[in-house]
Amino acid sequence: MLDRREDRQPELSVVVPVLNESENIRPLLQRLLPVLEANARSFEVIFIDDGSTDDTVDVLRALHSTDRRITAVSFSRNFGKEIAIAAGLDHAAGRAAIIMDADLQHPPETVADFIVKWREGYKNVFAQRRDRYADSPLRRALTHRFYHLFDIFGETNLPPGAGDFRLLDRQAIEAIARMRERARFSKGLYAWIGFKSIGVPYDVAERAAGTSKFSYRKLTRFALDGLMSFSTIPLRVWTYIGFAISFLSLSLAGYFLVRTLLYGIDVPGFASLIVSVTFLSGIQLLSLGILGEYVGRIFAEVKRRPLYLVAERIGGEREHERDLVKHGETQV
Ligand code: UDP
Ligand code: MG
């Protein structure tokens, strides 16, 4: 028999960040609900509306009025997918949470495999895409470069092909909830927390309706956040470059000294002067710029602003959630 507490707490929470996805929500639920009904004892689906400007919120309200298992948290503006996921996990009441996109690129049927692995005792079950054919060739190439760089610089190893589509056990959810960083790179956080993990292969589908919400600008920002929150190498590398350049310039000074003593003063090379001056100022600006990137992120973190602001909660009011929202905004 379920006690009253369990009665209110679903076994599974599905977290779906949405930004202008009104056309995709119903088709997603059509495929997702049967899978959940067949595989979970009880569940909730929490949509995090990340400041949509279309009728996404109206659709969510309508869905909640007919099905209480569907709830939503609506942000006061767009905070980005990574923050939407954090909010989803804050609001998830289940013993495990599944994170997935709303555009049906993440096949709901894979959720059944997640649940099997979770029941076997895995706490961090991630979907591993077999390939990236659904992305454009340029995006694929850039993504590839990014993961290559992350491999070299990143201080955490990312499993290949793993993204946000995954199941997290309550223990893993609590671990993620303790990381209140603003420059969020969730993929890194999932890997950083560890726990018993396993990959489940899947094929990425084409986006059902609409277009990707990530511009190349947003992706670049995200890539920088990812690298900088998981590596201090770009900061430290300048020490070595500085040493190398100083060594080089000292050897050159020695060489010029000896040459002047032996052969007297000749007319110094204008070209080499200009090249070395511009090269060095370039290097200095670059290292300052990288320093600035980190300082900017430190500034954003020390301000301790809330990660997100909720404008509206559609359903799902629970005792412990109010604590969690507080926790979300003022965590140590
Ligand atoms: N999304 C979001 N906030 C954003 C951008 C995207 O909540 O600022 C959601 C979006 O609605 C979708 C998921 O994140 O459910 C993945 O976005 P998208 O499909 O545009 O990304 P892609 O598949 O191109 O990586
Ligand atoms: Mg997508």
Side-chain angles (χ1 to χ4, degrees):
M1 280 293 281
L2 291 173
D3 68 19
R4 289 190 59 184
R5 186 180 148 83
E6 277 179 353
D7 214 28
R8 280 182 288 127
Q9 279 192 331
E11 184 186 31
L12 270 184
S13 302
V14 181
V15 168
V16 190
V18 283
L19 171 62
N20 300 335
E21 302 281 7
S22 66
E23 288 169 281
N24 287 324
I25 292 172
R26 286 178 202 277
L28 168 73
L29 288 171
Q30 253 162 35
R31 271 173 64 189
L32 180 63
L33 294 181
V35 175
L36 293 174
E37 278 157 6
N39 293 283
R41 279 188 275 278
S42 58
F43 63 87
E44 62 178 352
V45 183
I46 311 172
F47 287 92
I48 311 296
D49 160 49
D50 188 12
S52 297
T53 48
D54 67 353
D55 56 343
T56 294
V57 185
D58 302 326
V59 172
L60 293 174
R61 252 187 237 117
L63 284 166
H64 174 70
S65 65
T66 55
D67 188 341
R68 301 276 151 187
R69 298 171 303 184
I70 298 165
T71 66
V73 175
S74 184
F75 281 174
S76 60
R77 64 167 170 86
N78 179 259
F79 282 90
K81 182 188 176 188
E82 303 301 306
I83 304 239
I85 291 174
L89 294 177
D90 286 347
H91 288 83
R95 291 203 292 113
I98 288 161
I99 304 163
M100 65 191 298
D101 287 357
D103 56 1
L104 283 165
Q105 285 198 282
H106 297 161
E109 295 71 26
T110 308
V111 167
D113 302 338
F114 287 173
I115 298 172
V116 169
K117 291 292 171 204
W118 177 52
R119 296 207 199 286
E120 282 173 16
Y122 291 95
K123 312 249 178 220
N124 196 345
V125 186
F126 54 90
Q128 251 173 328
R129 56 202 286 174
R130 291 198 179 94
D131 58 53
R132 293 187 165 265
Y133 73 93
D135 292 337
S136 73
L138 175 62
R139 183 163 165 181
R140 258 196 322 245
L142 291 174
T143 309
H144 185 77
R145 281 240 65 82
F146 169 75
Y147 283 106
H148 189 69
L149 276 176
F150 201 97
D151 250 5
I152 301 171
F153 293 118
E155 282 145 17
T156 299
N157 286 332
L158 301 182
D164 293 316
F165 186 27
R166 63 178 59 229
L167 177 146
L168 298 172
D169 179 75
R170 174 52 53 196
Q171 245 184 320
I173 300 171
E174 299 298 336
I176 299 271
R178 291 176 60 186
M179 298 190 267
R180 308 308 294 179
E181 55 211 74
R182 276 114 195 106
R184 287 185 89 77
F185 182 63
S186 303
K187 281 192 240 322
L189 301 182
Y190 307 133
W192 186 88
I193 59 167
F195 293 109
K196 207 174 159 201
S197 312
I198 193 167
V200 171
Y202 82 110
D203 287 310
V204 193
E206 294 285 340
R207 190 172 233 287
T211 52
S212 172
K213 304 299 182 283
F214 285 93
S215 58
Y216 283 106
R217 220 185 96 236
K218 252 181 162 178
L219 284 172
T220 311
R221 197 84 237 144
F222 182 50
L224 281 176
D225 276 348
L227 281 174
M228 297 195 169
S229 40
F230 282 90
S231 174
T232 52
I233 293 173
L235 270 179
R236 287 181 291 135
V237 74
W238 300 103
T239 320
Y240 302 104
I241 295 179
F243 266 124
I245 292 179
S246 309
F247 178 74
L248 207 78
S249 77
L250 275 178
S251 329
L252 266 176
Y255 166 74
F256 283 128
L257 182 73
V258 171
R259 207 179 64 169
T260 313
L261 287 177
L262 292 181
Y263 303 107
I265 298 171
D266 60 355
V267 180
F270 176 73
S272 60
L273 204 67
I274 287 295
V275 168
S276 61
V277 166
T278 50
F279 173 71
L280 284 179
S281 22
I283 289 271
Q284 281 172 0
L285 284 179
L286 190 66
S287 61
L288 268 181
I290 292 200
L291 207 65
E293 289 285 341
Y294 278 93
V295 173
R297 282 171 175 76
I298 297 169
F299 185 49
E301 302 290 346
V302 298
K303 277 188 279 189
R304 299 212 152 274
R305 289 190 182 154
L307 262 189
Y308 53 85
L309 292 175
V310 175
E312 188 185 345
R313 183 81 175 94
I314 303 166
E317 278 297 335
R318 287 187 189 86
E319 273 313 307
H320 87 286
E321 258 167 23
R322 278 191 286 275
D323 300 341
L324 274 171
V325 173
K326 258 190 270 154
H327 174 83
E329 294 176 359
T330 57
Q331 249 253 279
V332 276

